[in-house]
Amino acid sequence: ISSELALAMQSGKRVLLVGDHLQLPPLYSEQHKKALARKLGIASSGGDLDGMLQSDFARAFESDYGQQTSASLLTQYRMAPEIGYLVSEVFYKGDLENGNRLIPGFYNTGPQFLKSIVTWVDTSNNGSRKNHRSDRGVSIYNRFEADLIIKMLKEISSDHTFIGNLKETVKEGEPAIGVICMYGEQKRILRHKFNEVSWSDEFKELVKIDTVDSYQGKENRIIIVSITRSDKDQSPGFLRTPNRINVALSRAMDRLILVGSSEMWRTKNKELPLGLVTSLMIQKGEKLGYKFVAPDIVKIVKGAES
């Protein structure tokens, strides 16, 4: 049992737990997980271990007592309705409703890949270039996606009117564009490539690049998700886990851009979270304006002004 709340709960006479068990639970190192699996005599990956590492909040909420005493807040105000609908249908059984939110109109005059509220920049037809690598033996990465995202950031940064409007939507020094990486090595590569470009100081402070595990509780006006994982065997790895995908998608306020191969999720993995996302985008695309676009929609901008 995880028991991360045990000490805190012993300190109070009444306990009020507030959270969302459908997002990320407490994080445990791989060494911790393997040691626990050995001690319990179970596999170090899969359903048995996942069940043992379920958060105390989830156990309490889903218990008989929790069902009698709990309450759910089911109206969200962070995300544009189209993003909220996607998140609600895939992760909350359609129960999450959208409050009123005004979305700035300047996105319609910005880069083409920001015209739709939810866009999937689909690398499916880019052959072996779309495939991830794992030659470091620690974490996988995808240089094609990283290069594509840097091009997207260059195109955004070259539109000074758009940047001026975007900056007005956030507080001083607060990022407006978040790049969420599903793997740590992809974050390292993207940060390295980002630092190689001569951006303006104004644009640099608007961009945050980090892993999904570091993004819980955060939000940005624009979220770009580097899915990273893509191989000929279509193995989903930990992208089968709904909590991580939920966090990645629900950080977006105005625009959500997914970068990766939709082919990975349309057939073999269609019942997994990203498979459900692709299906819903196909079904509701015409009505809600969800778009699948090829990477060539991104203009090649040679550099950003310093």
Side-chain angles (χ1 to χ4, degrees), residues 154-171:
K154 285 183 178 180
E155 185 173 343
I156 295 172
S157 72
S158 68
D159 190 330
H160 301 294
T161 301
F162 180 84
I163 290 300
N165 289 328
L166 184 63
K167 188 174 181 180
E168 290 181 2
T169 66
V170 296
K171 298 176 182 177

Side-chain angles (χ1 to χ4, degrees), residues 34-295:
K34 288 178 181 178
L36 179 62
R38 285 196 301 270
K39 189 173 183 65
L40 296 175
I42 60 178
S44 59
S45 62
D48 289 342
L49 184 59
D50 290 342
M52 295 303 300
L53 295 177
Q54 185 182 33
S55 71
D56 287 343
F57 181 91
R59 294 175 192 278
F61 188 85
E62 294 174 350
S63 69
D64 291 340
Y65 178 77
Q67 294 300 304
Q68 296 174 40
T69 60
S70 64
S72 297
L73 305 178
L74 294 173
T75 303
Q76 69 83 22
Y77 296 89
R78 172 200 293 136
M79 300 172 276
E82 292 83 349
I83 303 172
Y85 177 80
L86 188 70
V87 169
S88 178
E89 290 296 310
V90 174
F91 304 104
Y92 295 92
K93 301 179 181 179
D95 292 335
L96 191 63
E97 298 180 355
N98 299 304
N100 292 325
R101 262 212 76 222
L102 181 64
I103 308 300
F106 61 79
Y107 291 102
N108 296 323
T109 60
Q112 187 67 26
F113 56 84
L114 292 176
K115 297 294 176 67
S116 298
I117 290 180
V118 180
T119 300
W120 190 308
V121 182
D122 193 357
T123 64
S124 295
N125 295 324
N126 288 88
S128 61
R129 291 191 302 165
K130 72 176 185 293
N131 292 340
H132 71 251
R133 301 285 185 270
S134 57
D135 53 17
R136 290 176 177 267
V138 178
S139 177
I140 71 172
Y141 62 92
N142 190 314
R143 290 191 182 277
F144 182 72
E145 284 186 26
D147 289 336
L148 181 55
I149 289 169
I150 294 298
K151 287 180 183 178
M152 295 167 73
L153 294 175
K154 285 183 178 180
E155 185 173 343
I156 295 172
S157 72
S158 68
D159 190 330
H160 301 294
T161 301
F162 180 84
I163 290 300
N165 289 328
L166 184 63
K167 188 174 181 180
E168 290 181 2
T169 66
V170 296
K171 298 176 182 177
E172 187 70 28
E174 181 179 290
I177 303 169
V179 180
I180 295 181
C181 303
M182 304 309 291
Y183 292 88
E185 184 64 13
Q186 185 74 349
K187 178 197 75 172
R188 188 195 69 80
I189 288 173
L190 261 165
R191 283 186 174 179
H192 179 74
K193 288 179 178 292
F194 185 82
N195 291 333
E196 287 183 328
V197 180
S198 180
W199 311 98
S200 69
D201 290 338
E202 177 185 46
F203 185 72
K204 281 175 70 175
E205 70 178 16
L206 288 178
V207 178
K208 174 182 175 63
I209 301 172
D210 219 330
T211 60
V212 64
D213 297 300
S214 301
Y215 239 94
Q216 183 145 294
K218 300 180 176 66
E219 61 189 24
N220 294 127
R221 290 287 179 169
I222 300 169
I223 286 291
I224 301 172
V225 180
S226 180
I227 295 171
T228 308
R229 195 169 192 98
S230 174
D231 62 2
K232 62 181 181 180
D233 296 326
Q234 297 188 349
S235 56
F238 70 58
L239 296 191
R240 70 176 69 249
T241 309
N243 303 64
R244 278 190 171 91
I245 311 302
N246 185 7
V247 170
L249 273 55
S250 61
R251 302 306 94 197
M253 299 172 69
D254 300 339
R255 291 293 188 269
L256 172 63
I257 303 103
L258 298 157
V259 180
S261 170
S262 71
E263 180 185 32
M264 269 281 299
W265 313 100
R266 291 188 188 223
T267 53
K268 180 179 178 180
N269 299 310
K270 64 182 179 180
E271 300 302 323
L272 297 181
L274 285 170
L276 298 176
V277 169
T278 57
S279 296
L280 193 60
M281 288 183 66
I282 292 169
Q283 294 169 15
K284 299 291 184 178
E286 186 173 345
K287 181 179 180 180
L288 297 179
Y290 300 148
K291 297 285 186 183
F292 287 91
V293 299

